[in-house]
Amino acid sequence: MPNRPEYNCKNYEHPATVAADVSGCRKGTCHGKINRRTLLGVGAIGAAAIGYPLARRLLSVSSPVFLARNQRYDGALTETIAAGLSAVGFDSRWVRGRRVLLKPNLVEPLASAPQISTHPAVVVAAAELFRRWGAEVTVGEAPANIRDTEMALVESGMTDALRGEKLPFLDLNYDEFRRVPNAGRCSALREFSFPSAVLDADLIVSMPKLKTHHWIGLTASMKNMYGVLPGLVYGWPKNVLHYAGIPETVVDINASLPPRIAIVDGILCMEGDGPILGTPKPLGLLAVGMNLAAVDATLARIAGFDPHRVPYLAMADGRIGPLAERSIIQRGERWADVASSFSIVDLPHLQAMRP
Amino acid sequence: MTWLDDAVQCLQAIPVCGYRRKAQPAVEPTSLAALALLAAERGDQAASALDWLSDRQAANGSLGINADTPRPCWPTGWALLAWNNGVKTLAPANPRWSDAAHRATDWMLSVSGQPVHTSSDMEGQRRIFGHDTTLQGWPWVEGTHSWVEPTAINLLALRSAGKAAHPRCREAVRLLLDRQLPDGGWNFGNTTVLDHVLRPNTQSTGVALAALADQPDIERKAQRSIDWLARNVSARTTPASLGYALIALGRFGHWPSKADQWLRSAGEHVLVPDGSPCCAALLILAAKRGLR
């Protein structure tokens, strides 16, 4: 393990929000005249310097990430996902008889804005594959901004898809939960309350939509894990996490959960003022990986970010997985061949995440 | 038997209930069940729910999520509303409920949302958050910022406790109006962020309007939200949102012509083996115009 500088959360200037949750614009762009102190002051960032208790062994090996281009929601997604999992070394025999939880992103779905939520076709394709391999598959989500989860399912089109496949859905906002220690310790939170179904899963599959995020740059497989925490304990929005620091808690949550892999819906993405009101960005991409930090770092490069300048990814480097290009083995397409810079809100903290 | 009879019967069988029929009992669903049973004149079953809530109250007057989770305490407002409705509706009322309501009221008045003062530049602050971050209201979780639904529920609860004129209630009304979206409706509690307008949702709008009903001159101040809600509620609206929407529209005298049909359909939808007691209770309250 090479020596690395000690990470201090204070090094990361970011506008994590405590009084505003995720949102976005209908049209237009921001004007960038916001008082800098105001912008930085809203992030209640934990100050503790932290070491590397986690994932050293993960970082000693390279992590493969599979990319497939020209994907469509009405295409052969099951086969693409199967090829991707095989390419990143996933042993399909391992899942037989095991509990697999698929976690899409349904933060605040709207039927007329399909760029907000993970498309049901991707979830159904993954479910079909894991069932084919003998797994017991459940879909679960805890939408952050609305208490009526059933409305989120209807608006995202997930209700019909789940019913068609007889896939059980767990409303993680209201499911029974248990407390576990915060294994990341980037934030001041000592523990997390996770739904029992999440803790009891043998494998969690993070299935985000690739989107820009006006506070933290971009949201993909790691930030998607915010959506396993129950609103009953964290609120709607999960303001407790905002107060504890968004980058810090993204890393902490990922450090504290059972094993996860990522299957990312990058077919129709979101750019601009994501993660709610941004505009559609067709990319035709499907990403698969066993290490969420490596997957998100690759997606950041594709979207025109320097992963080392995205605060939660920089914090994850050395704890959750590798960010460096040399440590990420490219399978399928090369990231540079599918790169397409995502537009972002014209704010200094976001522009600073560009290469 | 109508869907309403079935729904009432369902709650009569499990007045102490969780978020699903087979789930661990919790404070919010049990409070909603008590309110629905009171509205349906099922006093005995409502009383057992109110007693269970009394057993869950902490020494400081608050109630947590369920018996195992004493914090966060946002469900306290629901219990307070249920106890006060029980005291007013049932005779003789259990004196424990009055005592519990007094202690819950005191606790509620001691708690507030965390104001955000990040800068002396109030204009810049409003551009980021879109609302007055100094208004206290109530949070979901103590130590965090105020949001629409807990503020609305606690406003309803304190009004039921005869505290409508209390400064905290008056401030809660100001907060809710401040968080009203420019084109009508509410969401979780942000109007604009970074200058951009967010979208409303049905449940938050229903809860906020229900809490604001009876306020002086409120129709004028909230007309755009009443209109938004009336336009957006439909046969497609899911049961929880439908319940809140109809409770609110009923309070403002805008009962949709198809509301009974929607309620029947939603009632049949929630009355399944592992259905949601919360949704059943909300639909009963909407049908009985019962949430006050």
mmCIF file of all heavy atoms in Angstrom, chain A residues 19-21 23-25 30 35 38 42 110 147-148 150 155 174 232-233 236 239 273 277, chain B residues 19 28 65 74 119 121 129 131 140 145 147 190 193-194 196-199 236 238 241 269:
data_model
loop_
_atom_site.group_PDB
_atom_site.id
_atom_site.type_symbol
_atom_site.label_atom_id
_atom_site.label_comp_id
_atom_site.label_asym_id
_atom_site.label_seq_id
_atom_site.Cartn_x
_atom_site.Cartn_y
_atom_site.Cartn_z
ATOM 1 N N ALA A 19 -30.333 22.968 4.328
ATOM 2 C CA ALA A 19 -31.678 23.538 4.285
ATOM 3 C C ALA A 19 -32.294 23.390 2.911
ATOM 4 O O ALA A 19 -33.386 23.863 2.663
ATOM 5 C CB ALA A 19 -31.643 25.005 4.660
ATOM 6 N N ALA A 20 -31.599 22.784 2.023
ATOM 7 C CA ALA A 20 -32.143 22.539 0.700
ATOM 8 C C ALA A 20 -31.783 21.131 0.312
ATOM 9 O O ALA A 20 -30.673 20.687 0.536
ATOM 10 C CB ALA A 20 -31.528 23.505 -0.301
ATOM 11 N N ASP A 21 -32.722 20.434 -0.269
ATOM 12 C CA ASP A 21 -32.387 19.103 -0.726
ATOM 13 C C ASP A 21 -32.138 19.149 -2.217
ATOM 14 O O ASP A 21 -32.121 20.198 -2.841
ATOM 15 C CB ASP A 21 -33.491 18.116 -0.373
ATOM 16 C CG ASP A 21 -33.004 16.695 -0.551
ATOM 17 O OD1 ASP A 21 -32.053 16.335 0.150
ATOM 18 O OD2 ASP A 21 -33.532 15.998 -1.401
ATOM 19 N N SER A 23 -32.437 19.276 -6.008
ATOM 20 C CA SER A 23 -33.416 19.989 -6.814
ATOM 21 C C SER A 23 -32.783 20.324 -8.148
ATOM 22 O O SER A 23 -31.661 19.948 -8.424
ATOM 23 C CB SER A 23 -33.845 21.271 -6.131
ATOM 24 O OG SER A 23 -32.773 22.165 -6.130
ATOM 25 N N GLY A 24 -33.478 21.066 -8.937
ATOM 26 C CA GLY A 24 -32.873 21.442 -10.202
ATOM 27 C C GLY A 24 -33.703 22.461 -10.938
ATOM 28 O O GLY A 24 -34.689 22.952 -10.438
ATOM 29 N N CYS A 25 -33.293 22.771 -12.131
ATOM 30 C CA CYS A 25 -33.969 23.826 -12.849
ATOM 31 C C CYS A 25 -34.867 23.258 -13.930
ATOM 32 O O CYS A 25 -34.670 22.174 -14.421
ATOM 33 C CB CYS A 25 -32.961 24.753 -13.486
ATOM 34 S SG CYS A 25 -31.962 23.959 -14.722
ATOM 35 N N CYS A 30 -27.823 28.823 -13.681
ATOM 36 C CA CYS A 30 -27.614 29.717 -12.559
ATOM 37 C C CYS A 30 -26.674 30.847 -12.963
ATOM 38 O O CYS A 30 -25.976 30.757 -13.942
ATOM 39 C CB CYS A 30 -26.995 28.954 -11.399
ATOM 40 S SG CYS A 30 -28.212 27.999 -10.543
ATOM 41 N N ASN A 35 -22.806 34.374 -2.741
ATOM 42 C CA ASN A 35 -21.739 34.621 -1.802
ATOM 43 C C ASN A 35 -21.008 33.317 -1.494
ATOM 44 O O ASN A 35 -21.601 32.326 -1.087
ATOM 45 C CB ASN A 35 -22.397 35.200 -0.536
ATOM 46 C CG ASN A 35 -21.408 35.431 0.562
ATOM 47 O OD1 ASN A 35 -20.803 34.491 1.051
ATOM 48 N ND2 ASN A 35 -21.280 36.675 0.943
ATOM 49 N N THR A 38 -21.395 31.899 1.944
ATOM 50 C CA THR A 38 -22.710 31.291 2.108
ATOM 51 C C THR A 38 -22.717 29.890 1.529
ATOM 52 O O THR A 38 -23.169 28.935 2.147
ATOM 53 C CB THR A 38 -23.769 32.136 1.378
ATOM 54 O OG1 THR A 38 -23.769 33.433 1.943
ATOM 55 C CG2 THR A 38 -25.151 31.518 1.519
ATOM 56 N N VAL A 42 -22.857 26.177 4.060
ATOM 57 C CA VAL A 42 -23.989 25.281 4.235
ATOM 58 C C VAL A 42 -23.567 23.837 4.438
ATOM 59 O O VAL A 42 -24.343 23.015 4.877
ATOM 60 C CB VAL A 42 -24.977 25.365 3.064
ATOM 61 C CG1 VAL A 42 -25.607 26.724 3.018
ATOM 62 C CG2 VAL A 42 -24.314 25.019 1.765
ATOM 63 N N LEU A 110 -40.943 11.237 -11.967
ATOM 64 C CA LEU A 110 -41.998 11.946 -12.671
ATOM 65 C C LEU A 110 -42.119 11.287 -14.043
ATOM 66 O O LEU A 110 -41.133 11.176 -14.762
ATOM 67 C CB LEU A 110 -41.621 13.425 -12.816
ATOM 68 C CG LEU A 110 -42.696 14.350 -13.364
ATOM 69 C CD1 LEU A 110 -43.834 14.505 -12.353
ATOM 70 C CD2 LEU A 110 -42.120 15.712 -13.686
ATOM 71 N N ARG A 147 -42.964 11.024 0.668
ATOM 72 C CA ARG A 147 -43.336 9.986 1.631
ATOM 73 C C ARG A 147 -44.178 8.895 0.983
ATOM 74 O O ARG A 147 -44.252 7.788 1.490
ATOM 75 C CB ARG A 147 -44.123 10.600 2.793
ATOM 76 C CG ARG A 147 -43.283 11.443 3.712
ATOM 77 C CD ARG A 147 -43.938 11.562 5.070
ATOM 78 N NE ARG A 147 -43.821 10.324 5.822
ATOM 79 C CZ ARG A 147 -44.510 10.039 6.920
ATOM 80 N NH1 ARG A 147 -45.394 10.905 7.391
ATOM 81 N NH2 ARG A 147 -44.342 8.894 7.545
ATOM 82 N N ASP A 148 -44.863 9.218 -0.088
ATOM 83 C CA ASP A 148 -45.761 8.258 -0.716
ATOM 84 C C ASP A 148 -44.963 7.430 -1.731
ATOM 85 O O ASP A 148 -44.907 7.743 -2.916
ATOM 86 C CB ASP A 148 -46.915 9.001 -1.395
ATOM 87 C CG ASP A 148 -47.953 8.059 -1.971
ATOM 88 O OD1 ASP A 148 -47.740 6.830 -1.931
ATOM 89 O OD2 ASP A 148 -48.989 8.565 -2.460
ATOM 90 N N GLU A 150 -45.536 4.609 -3.004
ATOM 91 C CA GLU A 150 -46.335 4.004 -4.074
ATOM 92 C C GLU A 150 -46.453 4.967 -5.253
ATOM 93 O O GLU A 150 -46.435 4.554 -6.413
ATOM 94 C CB GLU A 150 -47.717 3.635 -3.527
ATOM 95 C CG GLU A 150 -48.475 2.723 -4.464
ATOM 96 C CD GLU A 150 -49.782 2.235 -3.862
ATOM 97 O OE1 GLU A 150 -50.049 2.499 -2.678
ATOM 98 O OE2 GLU A 150 -50.544 1.607 -4.612
ATOM 99 N N GLU A 155 -45.117 6.639 -10.802
ATOM 100 C CA GLU A 155 -44.557 7.670 -11.689
ATOM 101 C C GLU A 155 -43.340 7.160 -12.461
ATOM 102 O O GLU A 155 -43.104 7.563 -13.599
ATOM 103 C CB GLU A 155 -44.168 8.915 -10.883
ATOM 104 C CG GLU A 155 -45.349 9.746 -10.400
ATOM 105 C CD GLU A 155 -46.049 10.492 -11.534
ATOM 106 O OE1 GLU A 155 -45.406 10.828 -12.532
ATOM 107 O OE2 GLU A 155 -47.277 10.725 -11.416
ATOM 108 N N TYR A 174 -39.985 2.410 5.218
ATOM 109 C CA TYR A 174 -40.848 2.005 6.332
ATOM 110 C C TYR A 174 -40.567 0.587 6.821
ATOM 111 O O TYR A 174 -41.246 0.107 7.724
ATOM 112 C CB TYR A 174 -42.318 2.106 5.904
ATOM 113 C CG TYR A 174 -42.730 3.495 5.496
ATOM 114 C CD1 TYR A 174 -42.730 3.887 4.154
ATOM 115 C CD2 TYR A 174 -43.109 4.438 6.445
ATOM 116 C CE1 TYR A 174 -43.102 5.169 3.769
ATOM 117 C CE2 TYR A 174 -43.484 5.726 6.074
ATOM 118 C CZ TYR A 174 -43.480 6.082 4.724
ATOM 119 O OH TYR A 174 -43.847 7.356 4.364
ATOM 120 N N LEU A 232 -38.030 7.047 7.986
ATOM 121 C CA LEU A 232 -38.520 7.067 9.365
ATOM 122 C C LEU A 232 -37.460 7.571 10.331
ATOM 123 O O LEU A 232 -37.768 8.244 11.311
ATOM 124 C CB LEU A 232 -38.915 5.643 9.807
ATOM 125 C CG LEU A 232 -40.220 5.061 9.284
ATOM 126 C CD1 LEU A 232 -40.404 3.641 9.813
ATOM 127 C CD2 LEU A 232 -41.400 5.921 9.694
ATOM 128 N N VAL A 233 -36.222 7.259 10.067
ATOM 129 C CA VAL A 233 -35.128 7.621 10.973
ATOM 130 C C VAL A 233 -34.393 8.877 10.494
ATOM 131 O O VAL A 233 -33.963 9.685 11.309
ATOM 132 C CB VAL A 233 -34.118 6.454 11.095
ATOM 133 C CG1 VAL A 233 -32.949 6.826 12.008
ATOM 134 C CG2 VAL A 233 -34.823 5.209 11.612
ATOM 135 N N TRP A 236 -37.482 13.080 5.460
ATOM 136 C CA TRP A 236 -37.736 13.264 4.022
ATOM 137 C C TRP A 236 -37.548 14.749 3.712
ATOM 138 O O TRP A 236 -38.467 15.515 3.969
ATOM 139 C CB TRP A 236 -39.171 12.860 3.669
ATOM 140 C CG TRP A 236 -39.457 11.407 3.719
ATOM 141 C CD1 TRP A 236 -39.419 10.527 2.693
ATOM 142 C CD2 TRP A 236 -39.905 10.640 4.855
ATOM 143 N NE1 TRP A 236 -39.800 9.275 3.122
ATOM 144 C CE2 TRP A 236 -40.096 9.323 4.444
ATOM 145 C CE3 TRP A 236 -40.151 10.971 6.203
ATOM 146 C CZ2 TRP A 236 -40.527 8.323 5.320
ATOM 147 C CZ3 TRP A 236 -40.572 9.986 7.061
ATOM 148 C CH2 TRP A 236 -40.759 8.666 6.606
ATOM 149 N N ASN A 239 -32.167 14.661 5.967
ATOM 150 C CA ASN A 239 -31.426 15.854 6.363
ATOM 151 C C ASN A 239 -30.324 15.560 7.375
ATOM 152 O O ASN A 239 -29.329 16.303 7.463
ATOM 153 C CB ASN A 239 -32.436 16.855 6.947
ATOM 154 C CG ASN A 239 -32.047 18.299 6.804
ATOM 155 O OD1 ASN A 239 -32.508 19.149 7.550
ATOM 156 N ND2 ASN A 239 -31.186 18.615 5.848
ATOM 157 N N ASP A 273 -28.812 20.765 -14.249
ATOM 158 C CA ASP A 273 -29.133 20.947 -12.839
ATOM 159 C C ASP A 273 -29.752 19.685 -12.240
ATOM 160 O O ASP A 273 -30.904 19.672 -11.824
ATOM 161 C CB ASP A 273 -30.062 22.151 -12.676
ATOM 162 C CG ASP A 273 -30.139 22.605 -11.236
ATOM 163 O OD1 ASP A 273 -29.510 21.973 -10.373
ATOM 164 O OD2 ASP A 273 -30.839 23.593 -10.971
ATOM 165 N N LEU A 277 -34.063 18.138 -11.666
ATOM 166 C CA LEU A 277 -34.636 18.963 -12.725
ATOM 167 C C LEU A 277 -33.683 19.202 -13.887
ATOM 168 O O LEU A 277 -33.884 20.111 -14.684
ATOM 169 C CB LEU A 277 -35.107 20.302 -12.142
ATOM 170 C CG LEU A 277 -36.264 20.184 -11.143
ATOM 171 C CD1 LEU A 277 -36.585 21.538 -10.553
ATOM 172 C CD2 LEU A 277 -37.490 19.596 -11.789
ATOM 173 N N TYR B 19 -46.747 -0.034 9.837
ATOM 174 C CA TYR B 19 -46.863 0.528 8.492
ATOM 175 C C TYR B 19 -47.415 -0.485 7.488
ATOM 176 O O TYR B 19 -47.898 -0.100 6.434
ATOM 177 C CB TYR B 19 -45.516 1.095 8.041
ATOM 178 C CG TYR B 19 -45.212 2.406 8.746
ATOM 179 C CD1 TYR B 19 -44.443 2.446 9.895
ATOM 180 C CD2 TYR B 19 -45.759 3.593 8.284
ATOM 181 C CE1 TYR B 19 -44.202 3.639 10.565
ATOM 182 C CE2 TYR B 19 -45.532 4.790 8.935
ATOM 183 C CZ TYR B 19 -44.743 4.801 10.078
ATOM 184 O OH TYR B 19 -44.532 5.994 10.733
ATOM 185 N N GLU B 28 -47.008 6.495 14.384
ATOM 186 C CA GLU B 28 -47.781 7.217 13.369
ATOM 187 C C GLU B 28 -49.000 6.416 12.888
ATOM 188 O O GLU B 28 -50.126 6.937 12.905
ATOM 189 C CB GLU B 28 -46.889 7.596 12.183
ATOM 190 C CG GLU B 28 -47.618 8.441 11.142
ATOM 191 C CD GLU B 28 -46.797 8.643 9.870
ATOM 192 O OE1 GLU B 28 -45.968 7.774 9.525
ATOM 193 O OE2 GLU B 28 -46.996 9.671 9.200
ATOM 194 N N ILE B 65 -40.448 6.445 17.010
ATOM 195 C CA ILE B 65 -41.043 5.734 15.884
ATOM 196 C C ILE B 65 -41.898 4.558 16.359
ATOM 197 O O ILE B 65 -43.019 4.356 15.898
ATOM 198 C CB ILE B 65 -39.934 5.171 14.949
ATOM 199 C CG1 ILE B 65 -38.960 6.263 14.522
ATOM 200 C CG2 ILE B 65 -40.541 4.452 13.752
ATOM 201 C CD1 ILE B 65 -39.562 7.313 13.668
ATOM 202 N N TRP B 74 -40.459 12.789 15.694
ATOM 203 C CA TRP B 74 -41.437 13.498 14.868
ATOM 204 C C TRP B 74 -42.846 12.923 14.966
ATOM 205 O O TRP B 74 -43.816 13.664 14.751
ATOM 206 C CB TRP B 74 -40.970 13.556 13.404
ATOM 207 C CG TRP B 74 -40.747 12.244 12.736
ATOM 208 C CD1 TRP B 74 -39.564 11.579 12.619
ATOM 209 C CD2 TRP B 74 -41.726 11.410 12.114
ATOM 210 N NE1 TRP B 74 -39.748 10.392 11.961
ATOM 211 C CE2 TRP B 74 -41.064 10.262 11.639
ATOM 212 C CE3 TRP B 74 -43.102 11.526 11.912
ATOM 213 C CZ2 TRP B 74 -41.725 9.229 10.984
ATOM 214 C CZ3 TRP B 74 -43.766 10.513 11.254
ATOM 215 C CH2 TRP B 74 -43.085 9.375 10.801
ATOM 216 N N SER B 119 -24.749 33.141 6.506
ATOM 217 C CA SER B 119 -24.161 34.350 5.971
ATOM 218 C C SER B 119 -25.003 35.552 6.382
ATOM 219 O O SER B 119 -26.190 35.434 6.650
ATOM 220 C CB SER B 119 -24.146 34.255 4.442
ATOM 221 O OG SER B 119 -23.930 35.498 3.872
ATOM 222 N N ASP B 121 -25.433 37.685 4.283
ATOM 223 C CA ASP B 121 -25.985 37.979 2.966
ATOM 224 C C ASP B 121 -27.312 37.228 2.795
ATOM 225 O O ASP B 121 -27.380 36.144 2.242
ATOM 226 C CB ASP B 121 -24.985 37.555 1.890
ATOM 227 C CG ASP B 121 -25.550 37.680 0.481
ATOM 228 O OD1 ASP B 121 -26.601 38.341 0.316
ATOM 229 O OD2 ASP B 121 -24.951 37.099 -0.442
ATOM 230 N N PHE B 129 -31.484 28.733 -0.970
ATOM 231 C CA PHE B 129 -32.491 27.888 -0.344
ATOM 232 C C PHE B 129 -33.907 28.220 -0.778
ATOM 233 O O PHE B 129 -34.804 27.393 -0.634
ATOM 234 C CB PHE B 129 -32.384 28.014 1.180
ATOM 235 C CG PHE B 129 -31.035 27.634 1.709
ATOM 236 C CD1 PHE B 129 -30.297 28.500 2.490
ATOM 237 C CD2 PHE B 129 -30.499 26.394 1.413
ATOM 238 C CE1 PHE B 129 -29.066 28.144 2.983
ATOM 239 C CE2 PHE B 129 -29.259 26.028 1.895
ATOM 240 C CZ PHE B 129 -28.531 26.913 2.681
ATOM 241 N N HIS B 131 -36.091 29.913 0.632
ATOM 242 C CA HIS B 131 -37.048 30.199 1.700
ATOM 243 C C HIS B 131 -36.342 30.870 2.873
ATOM 244 O O HIS B 131 -35.104 30.940 2.917
ATOM 245 C CB HIS B 131 -37.753 28.917 2.156
ATOM 246 C CG HIS B 131 -36.839 27.875 2.729
ATOM 247 N ND1 HIS B 131 -36.392 26.800 2.010
ATOM 248 C CD2 HIS B 131 -36.303 27.729 3.972
ATOM 249 C CE1 HIS B 131 -35.625 26.033 2.778
ATOM 250 N NE2 HIS B 131 -35.552 26.582 3.961
ATOM 251 N N TRP B 140 -37.935 16.852 10.911
ATOM 252 C CA TRP B 140 -38.177 15.419 11.066
ATOM 253 C C TRP B 140 -37.358 14.881 12.243
ATOM 254 O O TRP B 140 -37.841 14.080 13.033
ATOM 255 C CB TRP B 140 -37.775 14.656 9.801
ATOM 256 C CG TRP B 140 -38.687 14.883 8.636
ATOM 257 C CD1 TRP B 140 -38.436 15.652 7.537
ATOM 258 C CD2 TRP B 140 -39.996 14.331 8.432
ATOM 259 N NE1 TRP B 140 -39.511 15.614 6.677
ATOM 260 C CE2 TRP B 140 -40.477 14.807 7.205
ATOM 261 C CE3 TRP B 140 -40.809 13.476 9.184
ATOM 262 C CZ2 TRP B 140 -41.732 14.461 6.699
ATOM 263 C CZ3 TRP B 140 -42.058 13.133 8.699
ATOM 264 C CH2 TRP B 140 -42.508 13.621 7.474
ATOM 265 N N HIS B 145 -32.996 20.818 10.027
ATOM 266 C CA HIS B 145 -33.797 21.942 9.565
ATOM 267 C C HIS B 145 -35.295 21.600 9.575
ATOM 268 O O HIS B 145 -35.672 20.431 9.643
ATOM 269 C CB HIS B 145 -33.346 22.294 8.135
ATOM 270 C CG HIS B 145 -33.797 23.636 7.654
ATOM 271 N ND1 HIS B 145 -33.522 24.794 8.337
ATOM 272 C CD2 HIS B 145 -34.511 24.007 6.556
ATOM 273 C CE1 HIS B 145 -34.038 25.819 7.672
ATOM 274 N NE2 HIS B 145 -34.642 25.369 6.593
ATOM 275 N N TRP B 147 -39.100 21.236 8.018
ATOM 276 C CA TRP B 147 -39.655 20.803 6.743
ATOM 277 C C TRP B 147 -41.178 20.883 6.782
ATOM 278 O O TRP B 147 -41.770 21.079 7.848
ATOM 279 C CB TRP B 147 -39.164 19.388 6.403
ATOM 280 C CG TRP B 147 -37.670 19.360 6.296
ATOM 281 C CD1 TRP B 147 -36.790 18.973 7.267
ATOM 282 C CD2 TRP B 147 -36.872 19.840 5.200
ATOM 283 N NE1 TRP B 147 -35.494 19.153 6.828
ATOM 284 C CE2 TRP B 147 -35.516 19.677 5.570
ATOM 285 C CE3 TRP B 147 -37.173 20.374 3.943
ATOM 286 C CZ2 TRP B 147 -34.459 20.042 4.722
ATOM 287 C CZ3 TRP B 147 -36.130 20.726 3.096
ATOM 288 C CH2 TRP B 147 -34.788 20.559 3.487
ATOM 289 N N ASN B 190 -38.713 22.733 -0.029
ATOM 290 C CA ASN B 190 -37.891 23.701 -0.758
ATOM 291 C C ASN B 190 -38.722 24.270 -1.898
ATOM 292 O O ASN B 190 -39.376 23.514 -2.622
ATOM 293 C CB ASN B 190 -36.642 23.053 -1.366
ATOM 294 C CG ASN B 190 -35.540 22.799 -0.352
ATOM 295 O OD1 ASN B 190 -34.773 21.870 -0.512
ATOM 296 N ND2 ASN B 190 -35.466 23.605 0.692
ATOM 297 N N VAL B 193 -34.167 26.233 -5.397
ATOM 298 C CA VAL B 193 -32.776 26.041 -4.984
ATOM 299 C C VAL B 193 -31.925 26.552 -6.128
ATOM 300 O O VAL B 193 -32.175 26.221 -7.295
ATOM 301 C CB VAL B 193 -32.468 24.560 -4.698
ATOM 302 C CG1 VAL B 193 -30.984 24.375 -4.411
ATOM 303 C CG2 VAL B 193 -33.280 24.063 -3.504
ATOM 304 N N LEU B 194 -30.951 27.390 -5.790
ATOM 305 C CA LEU B 194 -30.097 27.996 -6.817
ATOM 306 C C LEU B 194 -30.944 28.671 -7.889
ATOM 307 O O LEU B 194 -30.701 28.532 -9.078
ATOM 308 C CB LEU B 194 -29.170 26.946 -7.443
ATOM 309 C CG LEU B 194 -28.241 26.208 -6.482
ATOM 310 C CD1 LEU B 194 -27.486 25.094 -7.207
ATOM 311 C CD2 LEU B 194 -27.265 27.162 -5.824
ATOM 312 N N HIS B 196 -33.894 28.063 -8.985
ATOM 313 C CA HIS B 196 -34.744 27.261 -9.857
ATOM 314 C C HIS B 196 -35.900 26.646 -9.085
ATOM 315 O O HIS B 196 -35.717 26.109 -7.996
ATOM 316 C CB HIS B 196 -33.917 26.189 -10.549
ATOM 317 C CG HIS B 196 -32.764 26.783 -11.309
ATOM 318 N ND1 HIS B 196 -31.491 26.312 -11.198
ATOM 319 C CD2 HIS B 196 -32.710 27.848 -12.142
ATOM 320 C CE1 HIS B 196 -30.689 27.054 -11.955
ATOM 321 N NE2 HIS B 196 -31.410 27.986 -12.531
ATOM 322 N N VAL B 197 -37.066 26.719 -9.688
ATOM 323 C CA VAL B 197 -38.290 26.311 -8.994
ATOM 324 C C VAL B 197 -38.424 24.789 -8.983
ATOM 325 O O VAL B 197 -38.245 24.125 -10.003
ATOM 326 C CB VAL B 197 -39.520 26.931 -9.685
ATOM 327 C CG1 VAL B 197 -40.806 26.473 -8.998
ATOM 328 C CG2 VAL B 197 -39.423 28.447 -9.677
ATOM 329 N N LEU B 198 -38.746 24.268 -7.805
ATOM 330 C CA LEU B 198 -38.946 22.824 -7.678
ATOM 331 C C LEU B 198 -40.407 22.465 -7.918
ATOM 332 O O LEU B 198 -41.262 23.334 -8.008
ATOM 333 C CB LEU B 198 -38.499 22.348 -6.297
ATOM 334 C CG LEU B 198 -36.998 22.097 -6.154
ATOM 335 C CD1 LEU B 198 -36.221 23.387 -6.089
ATOM 336 C CD2 LEU B 198 -36.725 21.267 -4.916
ATOM 337 N N ARG B 199 -40.672 21.158 -7.967
ATOM 338 C CA ARG B 199 -42.022 20.690 -8.269
ATOM 339 C C ARG B 199 -42.801 20.404 -6.978
ATOM 340 O O ARG B 199 -42.210 19.952 -5.992
ATOM 341 C CB ARG B 199 -41.972 19.410 -9.088
ATOM 342 C CG ARG B 199 -41.261 19.533 -10.414
ATOM 343 C CD ARG B 199 -41.337 18.211 -11.172
ATOM 344 N NE ARG B 199 -40.660 18.302 -12.452
ATOM 345 C CZ ARG B 199 -39.455 17.803 -12.701
ATOM 346 N NH1 ARG B 199 -38.786 17.193 -11.744
ATOM 347 N NH2 ARG B 199 -38.910 17.917 -13.887
ATOM 348 N N ARG B 236 -55.789 8.308 -10.772
ATOM 349 C CA ARG B 236 -54.432 7.764 -10.795
ATOM 350 C C ARG B 236 -53.676 8.023 -9.477
ATOM 351 O O ARG B 236 -52.629 7.443 -9.236
ATOM 352 C CB ARG B 236 -53.704 8.411 -11.977
ATOM 353 C CG ARG B 236 -52.383 7.815 -12.343
ATOM 354 C CD ARG B 236 -51.925 8.349 -13.696
ATOM 355 N NE ARG B 236 -50.549 7.960 -13.960
ATOM 356 C CZ ARG B 236 -49.500 8.699 -13.642
ATOM 357 N NH1 ARG B 236 -49.662 9.866 -13.066
ATOM 358 N NH2 ARG B 236 -48.276 8.275 -13.899
ATOM 359 N N THR B 238 -52.360 7.804 -5.916
ATOM 360 C CA THR B 238 -52.212 6.631 -5.047
ATOM 361 C C THR B 238 -52.850 6.895 -3.672
ATOM 362 O O THR B 238 -53.058 8.054 -3.292
ATOM 363 C CB THR B 238 -50.731 6.274 -4.907
ATOM 364 O OG1 THR B 238 -49.984 7.470 -4.688
ATOM 365 C CG2 THR B 238 -50.221 5.628 -6.183
ATOM 366 N N SER B 241 -51.605 9.665 -0.961
ATOM 367 C CA SER B 241 -51.732 11.024 -1.506
ATOM 368 C C SER B 241 -53.198 11.389 -1.692
ATOM 369 O O SER B 241 -53.602 12.533 -1.422
ATOM 370 C CB SER B 241 -50.994 11.129 -2.841
ATOM 371 O OG SER B 241 -49.610 10.951 -2.655
ATOM 372 N N HIS B 269 -58.000 -1.166 -3.055
ATOM 373 C CA HIS B 269 -56.575 -1.386 -3.313
ATOM 374 C C HIS B 269 -55.797 -1.624 -2.012
ATOM 375 O O HIS B 269 -54.877 -2.440 -1.977
ATOM 376 C CB HIS B 269 -56.022 -0.170 -4.056
ATOM 377 C CG HIS B 269 -54.562 -0.232 -4.346
ATOM 378 N ND1 HIS B 269 -54.012 -1.062 -5.285
ATOM 379 C CD2 HIS B 269 -53.516 0.434 -3.787
ATOM 380 C CE1 HIS B 269 -52.703 -0.893 -5.314
ATOM 381 N NE2 HIS B 269 -52.378 0.009 -4.409
#
